[in-house]
């Protein structure tokens, strides 16, 4: 098998893994009354405040789709808006205390689920790290 063929198969496997992972992530998020889209936005905001366009860039999504999710999270009191000294019309978004707790619960449930599945599969931390290293090399040149 050539490198190109192996690469194509790896990418197909990564897409399949991402799809299966998204499905189980939707279930985990739903148990907390959220969606994966909301979880992703909350995750971006876990360390600092960002604008909607900045969140969209980090997630590789359109500004409009992130704006809709952000508005829902603000309406629920999970995210708050604050003034942005760099751009008056693009407020900064940050997690509220409720939002931090919601994200903590989702991540804890996800970690427990993933740990259990990885143990069943017999996948080690070293194997995961090696896979990440390989993907990192590919990402750096693509």
């Amino acid at each position: 098998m050539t490198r190109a063929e192996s690469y194509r198969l790896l990418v197909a496997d990564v897409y399949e893994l991402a799809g299966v992972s998204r499905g189980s992530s939707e279930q985990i998020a739903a148990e907390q009354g959220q969606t994966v889209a909301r979880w992703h936005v909350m995750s971006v905001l876990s360390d600092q405040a960002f604008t909607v366009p900045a969140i969209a860039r980090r997630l590789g999504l359109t500004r409009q789709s992130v704006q809709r999710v952000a508005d829902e999270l603000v309406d629920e009191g999970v995210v708050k808006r604050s003034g942005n000294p760099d751009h008056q019309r693009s407020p900064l978004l940050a997690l509220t205390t409720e939002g931090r707790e919601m994200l903590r619960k989702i991540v804890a449930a996800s970690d427990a689920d993933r740990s259990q599945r990885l143990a069943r599969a017999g996948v080690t931390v070293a194997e995961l790290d090696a896979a990440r290293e390989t993907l990192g090399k590919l990402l750096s040149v693509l």
Side-chain angles (χ1 to χ4, degrees):
M1 184 176 305
T2 68
R3 269 192 232 197
E5 290 168 328
S6 289
Y7 170 77
R8 240 186 349 267
L9 292 172
L10 173 64
V11 170
D13 289 345
V14 167
Y15 278 125
E16 183 178 359
L17 176 61
V20 171
S21 183
R22 254 191 313 278
S24 63
S25 293
E26 281 290 353
Q27 183 178 353
I28 291 165
E31 290 169 1
Q32 298 298 322
Q34 296 299 328
T35 65
V36 168
R38 291 176 181 196
W39 178 3
H40 288 168
V41 170
M42 287 188 285
S43 291
V44 169
L45 297 173
S46 64
D47 290 329
Q48 70 181 76
F50 285 101
T51 62
V52 166
I55 296 167
R57 279 190 299 276
R58 282 194 68 178
L59 295 175
L61 300 170
T62 65
R63 185 201 58 76
Q64 294 84 351
S65 65
V66 172
Q67 185 67 62
R68 181 187 54 78
V69 171
D71 289 344
E72 292 171 358
L73 290 169
V74 168
D75 290 346
E76 288 180 16
V78 176
V79 168
K80 63 183 175 186
R81 290 186 180 100
S82 63
N84 180 354
D86 295 328
H87 195 291
Q88 288 182 338
R89 294 179 53 207
S90 189
L92 291 170
L93 301 177
L95 290 175
T96 63
T97 301
E98 180 183 331
R100 289 197 179 285
E101 180 59 17
M102 174 72 61
L103 181 59
R104 186 197 65 73
K105 288 179 183 177
I106 293 170
V107 169
S110 174
D111 286 353
D113 177 77
R114 299 307 188 240
S115 292
Q116 185 180 63
R117 291 173 190 252
L118 291 166
R120 279 197 326 251
V123 175
T124 67
V125 171
E127 289 170 323
L128 291 168
D129 289 344
R132 289 187 63 229
E133 182 179 343
T134 299
L135 293 174
K137 287 177 184 178
L138 292 170
L139 287 168
S140 72
V141 298
L142 293 174

